């Protein structure tokens, strides 16, 4: 019996994790579940999974969580300390699936316990990759990649190490704007960017997939996870999302990880590891798919990918600035305060203003990374404020209040959840 905790249990990855656990009720016991602010959804998940402890990040949601859990015997708690307690409670495996740098501290706390961490929260590695990998080694923690591309590569790698690898390829579906012209992309609205062709995911990563920023963040994630140099990391656009990652070894052999685009596949791999679970996901039928296409990414229409690759190559604090500016910009885009190309513009402007990598080193600790993240967010918000004063005339307004809080993500996530669930 494996004991599991889920950070970000009410999100897209969290719900898919719950689905895999519920398919294997005899193999798992759930210790703790964490959500942002949707107490009802969290209580429902906690009850379904028979968790012992449920923590909601928003202190104002405590009463609702306590009421919703009344009579269940599940302990309710709220606030940041409660989230960290959930991450620290003894478990064999902690699923880190909070979105954004909001998940960095709790993921790190779980890692420090020395129990295995299944990592969906890529922003942790983007912002503090060196510190995370060092601390994982120090505490003997196994970091299992849950991100589909990294999970595929992890499986394709087998026992080989970075020395044997010539190149590592992450594939990208190309997102909803793969075939759009630059002029069309310039006028893209949030609902168009949220309509991902292959994956059903949370709002933030869906927007990142439309700009290809997600693939840039994933290159930085892969660099830290697998110890591969920036020059050896490549991106291929692959609209079918069947081949998720490929490794070319120095002897010319290529191994790849394939599966239907459904997060329950990498999730089941992480939950079962090193054994294999049974899962009822749709099976890969290559005859039905018939064609697998690959092409080079178009940096002209998707400049975010190039900017992220440059940030990876520059190192230092660049990846933190990139990520923080992107989180602010995506929230502004979803809130109707920024155009779609405005996301990448804000990121590159902030990198120009703050990204002198030579002057500041990559953070040596999570505290340092969070302080830099804070500063970058503040500066990004300032840039945004000065920008929206002129750009608001050209952007169609659809203002959602307080788009930068986690409540917004859940609101959009709720809107999305009626769409396809984890194809
Ligand atoms: P989501 O928006 O659907 O869910 C995010 C979860 O985090 C929710 O449970 C939310 O309540 C919680 N949360 C938000 N802010 C919080 C805070 N301050 N404190 C505590 N909890 C908070 O996001 P998602 O799509 O499930 O993605 C989660 C992470 O997994 C992201 O880092 C994403 O990049 C990564 N990821 C997602 C997918 C996918 O298919 N969705 C695939 C690969 C990687
Ligand atoms: Mg991915």
């Amino acid at each position: 019996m494996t004991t599991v905790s889920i950070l970000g249990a009410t999100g897209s990855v969290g719900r898919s994790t719950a689905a895999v656990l519920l398919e294997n009720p005899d193999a798992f016991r759930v210790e703790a579940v964490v959500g942002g602010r949707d107490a009802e959804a969290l209580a429902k998940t906690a009850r379904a999974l028979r968790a012992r402890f449920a923590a909601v990040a928003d202190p104002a949601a405590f009463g609702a969580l306590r009421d919703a859990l009344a009579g269940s015997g599940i302990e309710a708690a709220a606030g940041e300390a409660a989230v960290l307690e959930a991450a620290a409670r003894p478990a064999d495996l902690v699923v880190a699936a909070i979105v954004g740098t909001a998940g960095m501290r709790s993921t790190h706390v779980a890692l420090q316990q020395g129990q295995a961490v299944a990592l969906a929260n890529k922003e942790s590695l983007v912002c503090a990759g060196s510190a995370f990998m060092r601390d994982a080694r120090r505490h003997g923690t196994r970091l299992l990649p849950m991100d589909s591309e990294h999970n595929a590569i992890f499986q394709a790698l087998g026992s080989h190490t970075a020395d044997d690898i010539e190149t590592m390829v992450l594939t990208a579906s190309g997102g909803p704007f793969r075939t759009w012209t630059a002029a069309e992309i310039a006028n893209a609205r949030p609902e168009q960017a949220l309509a991902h062709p292959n994956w059903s995911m949370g709002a933030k990563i869906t927007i990142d997939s439309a700009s290809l920023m997600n693939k840039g963040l994933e290159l930085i994630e892969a660099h830290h996870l697998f110890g591969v140099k920036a020059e050896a990391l490549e991106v291929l656009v692959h609209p079918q999302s069947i081949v998720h990652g490929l490794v070319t070894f120095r002897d010319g052999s290529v191994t790849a990880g394939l599966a239907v685009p459904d997060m329950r596949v990498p999730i089941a791999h992480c939950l079962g590891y090193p054994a294999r679970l049974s899962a009822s996901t749709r099976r890969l039928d290559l005859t039905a798919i018939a064609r697998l296409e690959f092409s080079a990414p178009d940096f002209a229409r998707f400049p975010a990918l190039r900017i992220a690759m440059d940030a990876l190559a520059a190192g230092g604090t660049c990846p933190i600035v990139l990520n923080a500016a992107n989180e602010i910009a995506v929230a502004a885009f979803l809130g109707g305060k920024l155009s779609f190309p405005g996301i990448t513009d804000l990121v590159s402007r902030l990198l120009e203003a703050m990204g002198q990598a030579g002057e500041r080193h990559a953070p040596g600790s999570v505290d340092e990374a969070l302080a830099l993240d804070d500063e970058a967010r503040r500066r990004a918000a300032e840039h945004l404020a000065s920008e929206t004063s002129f750009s608001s005339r050209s952007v169609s307004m659809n203002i959602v209040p307080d788009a930068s809080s986690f409540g917004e993500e859940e609101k959009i996530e709720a809107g999305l959840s009626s769409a396809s669930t984890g194809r």
Side-chain angles (χ1 to χ4, degrees), residues 66-112:
R66 187 198 45 209
D67 294 350
L69 288 175
S72 68
I74 302 167
E75 195 181 334
E80 202 198 340
V83 171
L84 299 185
E85 186 194 332
R89 285 171 83 108
D92 299 309
L93 179 71
V94 176
V95 176
I98 292 174
V99 62
T101 46
M104 188 150 47
R105 174 97 55 202
S106 52
T107 303
H108 190 250
V109 163
L111 176 149
Q112 284 176 308

Side-chain angles (χ1 to χ4, degrees), residues 80 84 87 100-113 117 119 121-136 138-139 143 317 320 323 361-375 377:
E80 202 198 340
L84 299 185
T101 46
M104 188 150 47
R105 174 97 55 202
S106 52
T107 303
H108 190 250
V109 163
L111 176 149
Q112 284 176 308
Q113 302 302 305
V117 171
L119 188 74
N121 178 258
K122 64 192 77 180
E123 295 88 351
S124 284
L125 286 185
V126 169
C127 296
S130 307
F132 264 82
M133 297 313 288
R134 180 201 61 212
D135 292 346
R138 204 175 267 173
H139 296 280
L143 265 185
T317 59
I320 297 189
N323 181 71
H361 297 293
S365 69
V366 168
D367 282 338
E368 221 179 295
L370 283 169
L372 283 162
D373 172 66
D374 241 30
E375 183 190 342
R377 276 165 195 278

Side-chain angles (χ1 to χ4, degrees), residues 30-49:
V30 175
E31 178 63 30
V33 289
V34 168
R37 68 156 45 151
D38 187 343
E40 302 251 319
L42 184 65
K44 218 168 139 190
T45 303
R47 281 176 181 273
L49 295 174

Side-chain angles (χ1 to χ4, degrees), residues 322 331 338 402:
L322 172 92
L338 198 62
D402 193 18

